[in-house]
Amino acid sequence: MKKIATKDAVGHVLCHDITRIIKDVEKDAAFRKGHIVCKEDIEVLHSMGKFNLYVWEKPHDMLHENEAADILRAICEDTNMSSTPVKEGKITITSQAFGLFCVDVKKLETINSIGEICISTRHTNTPVHEGEKLAGVRVVPLVIKQEKMDQVKKIAGEMPILKILPYKPLKAGIITTGSEIAMGLIEDNFAPVIEKKLNYFGISVISCKIVDDVKENIANAILQFRSEGAEMILCTGGMSVDPDDATPGAIAASGAKVVSYGAPVLPGNMFLLAYFEDNIPVLGLPGCVMYERRTIFDIVLPRIAAGVELNAQDIAVMGNGGLCPECKDCRYPNCAFGKGT
């Protein structure tokens, strides 16, 4: 460090805290170690009696923690996010939209493995609201080598490693299967549960159809919803391997390509996901979705609502974190369920 006149300190980095004391009002650091002195600070420092300062002699190949934090912010933040001003080398990134928060996990892990780099995020594939915290970024030392930050930018590439996919106002059709419901022997308690969860993400329901356990009738109901403009079709019930459970076969018979029948998630093992060629999803929901508080449906719905097309691998990796602990006081989504990826 070196001693210089305060009037000449603009652009230099302080090597120590500078405390301001106002009797019965304040005793705190007016300027903290690592602060970069700006023109507006000079008058304040003079008023505190600081006419000389000890500042960091930064080598040409080093970056200050504030400069490095701004680089990390730039490689993380997308257009649906905002960030706080840098403070003590740290920047917090927040959401500016209701949508699905996504992280390029591979790039995040690679960047954090460089050393002296810290990017902390929420779990990928988490639904977030406007104003919620998404990530915090900083470097560990007061100064860091320029070449490390160049490496960070190279790994990140052109696109931010974080993004928010705003939820789409989709139109959905619900098909409740079961001859006992179609005959009026019991009430349909499935559709209201599904509709409530869809509405949370801004998805409207065209209508609810009740169909008996006949494969051709279920398939025709799926195709009818598709012709009516449904952008998402949900079939409830009849999803097990019993001979009279016709829903999986009906979904396949409708022409939708089955991505996965079965998921490593409990509750929700007998879940089915299929897509038509124009990416309209068809979901086969097992009975647990009606009576369990959280299931596979709660994991996949936010992604589908954001327009993400899931594949078989996306379903397969849900086994890590795919067991709901069924807590007495449900804290979902602020728990481990569905957070393995």
Side-chain angles (χ1 to χ4, degrees), residues 131-210:
E132 291 186 357
K133 284 186 180 181
L134 303 176
V137 303
R138 72 175 309 163
V139 295
V140 176
L142 179 62
V143 292
I144 190 169
K145 287 187 176 293
Q146 172 78 56
E147 64 183 84
K148 279 198 172 184
M149 300 314 298
D150 290 341
Q151 187 179 357
V152 166
K153 290 189 281 187
K154 183 176 180 180
I155 293 168
E158 297 297 320
M159 301 299 293
I161 66 170
L162 310 180
K163 62 182 177 181
I164 293 178
L165 302 176
Y167 290 119
K168 302 175 181 295
L170 301 176
K171 294 181 292 183
I174 300 176
I175 300 170
T176 299
T177 66
S179 297
E180 69 280 16
I181 303 174
M183 295 169 64
L185 300 177
I186 64 171
E187 184 181 356
D188 175 21
N189 294 313
F190 216 139
V193 173
I194 302 304
E195 188 165 2
K196 182 178 179 180
K197 295 194 175 191
L198 293 176
N199 289 343
Y200 179 82
F201 292 100
I203 300 172
S204 60
V205 175
I206 295 175
S207 67
C208 301
K209 302 181 189 296
I210 298 175

Side-chain angles (χ1 to χ4, degrees), residues 79-330:
T79 55
N80 292 308
M81 301 174 190
S82 64
S83 55
T84 61
V86 63
K87 182 179 180 181
E88 299 174 11
K90 177 184 174 183
I91 295 174
T92 299
I93 299 172
T94 58
S95 170
Q96 291 299 300
F98 177 41
L100 185 72
F101 175 59
C102 302
V103 181
D104 189 322
V105 176
K106 185 176 180 181
K107 287 184 177 180
L108 174 69
E109 292 175 350
T110 302
I111 291 170
N112 279 333
S113 297
I114 292 173
E116 301 184 325
I117 305 290
C118 176
I119 303 176
S120 305
T121 76
R122 299 183 67 173
H123 278 286
T124 189
N125 295 320
T126 296
V128 294
H129 290 269
E130 184 176 350
E132 291 186 357
K133 284 186 180 181
L134 303 176
V137 303
R138 72 175 309 163
V139 295
V140 176
L142 179 62
V143 292
I144 190 169
K145 287 187 176 293
Q146 172 78 56
E147 64 183 84
K148 279 198 172 184
M149 300 314 298
D150 290 341
Q151 187 179 357
V152 166
K153 290 189 281 187
K154 183 176 180 180
I155 293 168
E158 297 297 320
M159 301 299 293
I161 66 170
L162 310 180
K163 62 182 177 181
I164 293 178
L165 302 176
Y167 290 119
K168 302 175 181 295
L170 301 176
K171 294 181 292 183
I174 300 176
I175 300 170
T176 299
T177 66
S179 297
E180 69 280 16
I181 303 174
M183 295 169 64
L185 300 177
I186 64 171
E187 184 181 356
D188 175 21
N189 294 313
F190 216 139
V193 173
I194 302 304
E195 188 165 2
K196 182 178 179 180
K197 295 194 175 191
L198 293 176
N199 289 343
Y200 179 82
F201 292 100
I203 300 172
S204 60
V205 175
I206 295 175
S207 67
C208 301
K209 302 181 189 296
I210 298 175
V211 183
D212 57 18
D213 292 309
V214 176
K215 183 174 77 171
E216 292 76 13
N217 293 345
I218 299 170
N220 288 336
I222 293 171
L223 293 173
Q224 184 178 350
F225 267 135
R226 191 180 180 204
S227 68
E228 292 172 358
E231 298 163 298
M232 179 181 183
I233 301 169
L234 305 100
C235 300
T236 69
M239 290 301 303
S240 77
V241 293
D242 294 344
D244 58 347
D245 284 336
T247 305
I251 293 173
S254 72
K257 182 180 179 181
V258 176
V259 170
S260 177
Y261 178 28
V265 177
L266 284 170
N269 275 155
M270 303 309 291
F271 170 77
L272 185 150
L273 176 65
Y275 286 94
F276 285 107
E277 61 270 14
D278 51 4
N279 298 330
I280 293 176
V282 182
L283 284 68
L285 303 180
C288 63
V289 176
M290 177 176 61
Y291 57 83
E292 295 284 1
R293 286 178 296 184
R294 298 298 174 182
T295 69
I296 178 70
F297 186 48
D298 298 283
I299 299 175
V300 301
L301 179 57
R303 306 186 199 185
I304 292 174
V308 176
E309 184 175 352
L310 299 170
N311 57 41
Q313 181 62 20
D314 293 325
I315 303 297
V317 299
M318 289 179 184
N320 180 23
L323 177 65
C324 178
E326 299 182 352
C327 303
K328 181 179 179 182
D329 297 317
C330 182

